[in-house]
Every structure is written in structure tokens, then in C-alpha cells.
Amino acid sequence: SQTIHQWPATLVQPVGSPLSLECTVEGTSNPNLYWYRQAAGRGLQLLFYSVGIGQISSEVPQNLSASRPQDRQFILSSKKLLLSDSGFYLCAWSGRQGEELFFGSGTQLSVL
Amino acid sequence: AQKVTQAQTEISVVEKEDVTLDCVYETRDTTYYLFWYKQPPSGELVFLIRRNSFDEQNEISGRYSWNFQKSTSSFNFTITASQVVDSAVYFCALSEGSGSRLTFGEGTQLTVNP
């Protein structure tokens, strides 16, 4: 069966420090991969999605970037964190388009 | 552009009451998919149901039921005989057939009191 791993679960970082969140999927090939952010415990905002290795679509201009170095690995990065980057970050995968997304357990990021 | 509206920000009910969570969507595509997710306090999003735009049959799964009406662009979710464990944030989402992105509503916080 397919599983998605996301780490770390919690992260506290100072303003201006770099960020790297990693997400890996097991049990499937060529998944669509997504990074969402949830601020203030409510709406989910799509940050990036990828339909293949090296293919990244950015939904909103921001201080973050994403990379997909391997088929089942998706990385969210920042060179210098801002206070506004605080939030709950969720990685997700799906099969073909139109199918449901399956989410990781999330990373609570606090930028201080 | 696609949009999902969940007008109910918070709902509070007493255990065993029935509760309906509303979802209204906007899309220009004739092929699209609708979803409901549950987010318990632990934070992880749990998939509940997926519906495509060509299937308007209502669905029932235990205490959960969904009412899809294309005429009113709505996909409402009803929990029958609610339980405390149903307390969570519930999200409605839309994916257009031409793309891979899910657009989520703002969510409805459901609190079921004993």
C-alpha cells in the first residue's frame, strides 16, 4: 500500500535561517506531489505541485521554493525564513489527475 | 477560476443531533471532481469522499451522507446522529478535470458536545 512520510513534525526556526522540509512517498510510481500551507488553523493554500521529476509549478509568489530530485521525493525550501512563513505545511500525493489527494501528517513551522 | 465556499465557519451541536455542512462551488469546466476531507485535532487530513461531475447520485456511508446537486452547484455533507469523535474541521474541495490541483474551501469547524 502507499504511504507518505513527512518530517519533521515540528520545527522552530529563527527569522533569516534556511528551511528544508522533506516528503517521500512509497508504494507508487510517478505520483503528483503537492505542498500546501495552512495558516491560522484554517484554509489550505496550494504552494507548489509537481507532475514529474524536475517539474515544479508555483501557485503563489513567495519566499519558498520546491524541488523534486527523485520521482517520490518532494522538498520545500527557503534560503531565509520570514515571520510570515509560519504555518502548518502539508505534503500530499495523488495518482492520475482528478483523483483524491493523500496527505502527510504535516509540519508545524514556527518562525521566531 | 475555480472556487469553493463553505459559508459556515463554525457549527456546534449536541451529540446525537444531525448536522449538515454546506459547500458551494464554482467552475467553468464540465468535468470536475468534488471532495470532502476531515481534519481532526491531530492535524492530518483524512479523505472522506470523491465525486465526479457526471455522477449526481447521493451517497451514504454509515452515518455520513452526501448530497450533490449540479443545479445549485452544491455538494453538502450530512452527519446523522453526531458523535463527539466527529468534532473536527471539515473541508470541501474541487478539482477541475483539466488540471491536477485541488482548491479547498475555508473549512467548517464542527464541535459535537456530549
Side-chain angles (χ1 to χ4, degrees), chain B residues 4-6 22-25 34-37 75-76 90-94 103-108:
Chain B
V4 177
T5 301
Q6 295 180 255
D22 298 333
C23 173
V24 175
Y25 62 91
L34 296 163
F35 307 81
W36 275 96
Y37 284 84
F75 187 43
N76 297 337
Y90 290 86
F91 290 95
C92 181
L94 166 70
T103 297
F104 285 81
E106 288 297 302
T108 297

XYZ file of all heavy atoms in Angstrom, chain B residues 4-6 22-25 34-37 75-76 90-94 103-108:
204
model
N -14.344 27.428 -4.053
C -15.173 26.641 -3.144
C -15.530 27.511 -1.946
O -14.646 28.111 -1.335
C -14.430 25.381 -2.671
C -15.280 24.609 -1.676
C -14.066 24.498 -3.864
N -16.801 27.547 -1.621
C -17.270 28.367 -0.500
C -17.947 27.498 0.551
O -18.886 26.761 0.250
C -18.260 29.442 -0.985
O -17.637 30.275 -1.964
C -18.707 30.307 0.188
N -17.438 27.592 1.754
C -18.070 26.953 2.905
C -18.490 28.077 3.838
O -17.691 28.602 4.588
C -17.103 25.993 3.597
C -16.714 24.807 2.737
C -15.748 23.877 3.442
O -14.558 23.862 3.147
N -16.266 23.090 4.374
N -22.424 22.761 4.579
C -22.700 23.233 3.224
C -21.423 23.477 2.429
O -20.396 23.887 2.984
C -23.507 24.536 3.278
C -24.862 24.349 3.942
O -25.396 23.222 3.892
O -25.370 25.343 4.499
N -21.531 23.245 1.134
C -20.407 23.501 0.226
C -20.976 23.945 -1.118
O -21.809 23.245 -1.713
C -19.565 22.245 0.042
S -18.267 22.395 -1.211
N -20.544 25.107 -1.580
C -20.941 25.626 -2.888
C -19.678 25.844 -3.705
O -18.681 26.355 -3.184
C -21.721 26.944 -2.739
C -22.019 27.537 -4.105
C -23.012 26.716 -1.964
N -19.721 25.453 -4.963
C -18.512 25.549 -5.781
C -18.775 26.331 -7.058
O -19.929 26.492 -7.477
C -17.980 24.145 -6.104
C -18.941 23.313 -6.916
C -18.908 23.313 -8.307
C -19.910 22.526 -6.278
C -19.796 22.562 -9.046
C -20.805 21.775 -7.009
C -20.752 21.792 -8.384
O -21.645 21.054 -9.116
N -15.284 16.609 -6.929
C -15.541 17.216 -5.627
C -15.116 16.258 -4.521
O -15.255 15.040 -4.660
C -17.028 17.555 -5.481
C -17.545 18.617 -6.459
C -19.052 18.584 -6.535
C -17.044 20.003 -6.024
N -14.632 16.828 -3.434
C -14.082 16.031 -2.343
C -14.516 16.603 -0.996
O -14.795 17.790 -0.866
C -12.546 16.048 -2.362
C -11.926 15.668 -3.677
C -11.827 16.596 -4.704
C -11.416 14.402 -3.874
C -11.247 16.269 -5.920
C -10.824 14.056 -5.081
C -10.749 14.997 -6.107
N -14.534 15.730 -0.008
C -14.627 16.155 1.385
C -13.485 15.516 2.155
O -13.166 14.331 1.949
C -15.956 15.742 2.019
C -17.071 16.709 1.755
C -18.015 16.641 0.777
C -17.368 17.894 2.510
N -18.865 17.710 0.862
C -18.499 18.493 1.910
C -16.798 18.504 3.629
C -19.078 19.674 2.396
C -17.371 19.666 4.112
C -18.498 20.242 3.496
N -12.885 16.348 3.029
C -11.821 15.888 3.912
C -12.167 16.262 5.349
O -12.829 17.271 5.597
C -10.479 16.547 3.560
C -9.805 15.987 2.344
C -10.151 16.428 1.071
C -8.811 15.015 2.459
C -9.525 15.917 -0.061
C -8.178 14.498 1.333
C -8.546 14.960 0.086
O -7.919 14.444 -1.025
N -22.537 20.654 -2.873
C -22.119 19.295 -2.503
C -22.101 19.246 -0.981
O -21.066 19.370 -0.339
C -20.745 18.998 -3.091
C -20.278 17.574 -2.912
C -21.131 16.501 -3.108
C -18.953 17.309 -2.559
C -20.697 15.201 -2.961
C -18.503 16.004 -2.410
C -19.374 14.952 -2.609
N -23.279 19.065 -0.387
C -23.430 19.145 1.054
C -23.194 17.811 1.740
O -23.455 16.749 1.172
C -24.819 19.678 1.407
C -25.021 21.097 0.905
O -24.070 21.830 0.676
N -26.275 21.479 0.722
N -13.892 20.346 8.735
C -14.229 19.627 7.515
C -14.033 20.550 6.316
O -14.498 21.691 6.310
C -15.679 19.136 7.573
C -15.869 18.023 8.569
C -16.116 18.306 9.906
C -15.774 16.697 8.175
C -16.265 17.288 10.836
C -15.933 15.669 9.095
C -16.183 15.968 10.421
O -16.327 14.952 11.336
N -13.342 20.006 5.315
C -13.046 20.782 4.127
C -13.717 20.173 2.910
O -13.679 18.954 2.700
C -11.537 20.816 3.859
C -10.750 21.622 4.845
C -10.154 21.007 5.931
C -10.611 22.985 4.685
C -9.422 21.741 6.848
C -9.878 23.733 5.592
C -9.292 23.102 6.676
N -14.284 21.051 2.097
C -14.792 20.688 0.782
C -13.737 21.149 -0.230
O -13.084 22.185 -0.023
C -16.125 21.385 0.539
S -16.911 21.006 -1.041
N -13.553 20.393 -1.316
C -12.528 20.755 -2.292
C -13.001 20.419 -3.702
O -13.866 19.562 -3.898
C -11.213 20.028 -1.993
N -12.388 21.105 -4.658
C -12.770 20.968 -6.067
C -11.520 20.799 -6.919
O -10.527 21.497 -6.709
C -13.523 22.228 -6.510
C -13.745 22.469 -8.006
C -14.749 21.475 -8.559
C -14.224 23.891 -8.246
N -8.593 22.807 -5.090
C -8.868 24.066 -4.410
C -9.797 23.769 -3.237
O -10.852 23.165 -3.420
C -9.532 25.066 -5.369
O -8.633 25.369 -6.419
C -9.903 26.342 -4.626
N -9.367 24.206 -2.051
C -10.129 23.918 -0.838
C -10.969 25.114 -0.423
O -10.592 26.270 -0.640
C -9.177 23.575 0.306
C -8.581 22.207 0.216
C -7.492 21.966 -0.612
C -9.114 21.155 0.946
C -6.940 20.694 -0.705
C -8.569 19.894 0.859
C -7.481 19.662 0.028
N -12.099 24.813 0.219
C -12.836 25.843 0.918
C -12.124 26.201 2.212
O -11.099 25.601 2.548
N -12.678 27.149 2.939
C -12.046 27.614 4.162
C -12.272 26.677 5.342
O -11.685 26.853 6.397
C -12.540 29.010 4.518
C -12.000 30.099 3.595
C -10.490 30.203 3.685
O -9.977 30.445 4.803
O -9.810 30.046 2.649
N -13.138 25.723 5.152
C -13.375 24.752 6.215
C -14.481 25.147 7.168
O -14.772 26.336 7.363
N -15.104 24.150 7.771
C -16.117 24.350 8.799
C -15.682 23.607 10.052
O -15.435 22.392 10.004
C -17.485 23.812 8.345
O -17.932 24.535 7.205
C -18.511 23.950 9.477
